[in-house]
């Protein structure tokens, strides 16, 4: 059984930084795509960053491109999201997800395992 556990969320001021982590257990995830999603109050869950299981290519939503960086440490089964220049609109619950395939796709039904989420609040 795959388990994903996020950490690193919290309260930060506008322009600040946070680093989220997602620790995976249950199976080796090196060949699978991983992603970060977020869900703001009253909005649908959206993918903001993904990293493939082959070659580690990355994709970002336009809203975070240039500010957020996704990375993975396969030896430690850990996924990261470095978030810089945070804005109030980045306030959301952030989730990591694993897809049982190497390629990143957008739709949430295509992701098979989810963490419980970690809350990020950006205050102005």
């Amino acid at each position: 059984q795959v388990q994903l556990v996020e950490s690193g969320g919290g309260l930060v001021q506008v322009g600040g930084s946070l680093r989220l982590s997602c620790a995976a257990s249950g199976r080796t995830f090196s060949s699978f795509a991983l992603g970060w999603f977020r869900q703001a109050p009253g909005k649908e869950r959206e993918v903001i960053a993904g990293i493939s299981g082959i070659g580690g290519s990355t994709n970002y939503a336009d809203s975070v491109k240039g500010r957020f960086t996704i990375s993975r440490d396969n030896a430690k089964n850990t996924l990261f999201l470095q978030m810089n220049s945070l804005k109030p609109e980045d306030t959301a619950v952030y989730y990591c997800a694993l897809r049982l395939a190497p390629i990143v796709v957008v739709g949430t039904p295509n992701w098979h395992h989810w963490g419980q989420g970690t809350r990020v609040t950006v205050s102005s």
Side-chain angles (χ1 to χ4, degrees):
Q1 180 72 16
V2 173
Q3 283 193 318
L4 303 174
V5 179
E6 302 97 336
S7 61
L11 175 65
V12 63
Q13 291 188 331
V14 169
S17 298
L18 282 175
R19 190 190 195 205
L20 304 184
S21 299
C22 174
S25 62
R27 68 185 304 171
T28 301
F29 74 4
S30 58
S31 60
F32 300 128
L34 297 168
W36 285 101
F37 292 68
R38 69 184 181 189
Q39 188 166 17
K43 295 189 176 181
E44 292 188 355
R45 191 173 299 188
E46 60 173 350
V47 59
I48 56 170
I51 185 166
S52 72
I54 300 175
S57 61
T58 58
N59 305 90
Y60 297 94
D62 289 342
S63 58
V64 306
K65 198 172 294 183
R67 300 187 298 122
F68 291 10
T69 303
I70 187 172
S71 62
R72 63 194 296 167
D73 184 338
N74 289 335
K76 296 183 179 180
N77 263 17
T78 305
L79 176 71
F80 302 100
L81 185 68
Q82 178 66 44
M83 305 187 295
N84 299 328
S85 303
L86 284 162
K87 305 175 181 180
E89 51 264 42
D90 295 319
T91 295
V93 177
Y94 285 71
Y95 300 88
C96 66
L98 180 149
R99 182 167 185 259
L100 294 173
I103 305 301
V104 173
V105 295
V106 175
T108 54
N110 297 302
W111 295 79
H112 303 98
H113 297 283
W114 295 85
Q116 82 289 349
T118 186
R119 185 173 302 275
V120 172
T121 303
V122 184
S123 65
S124 56

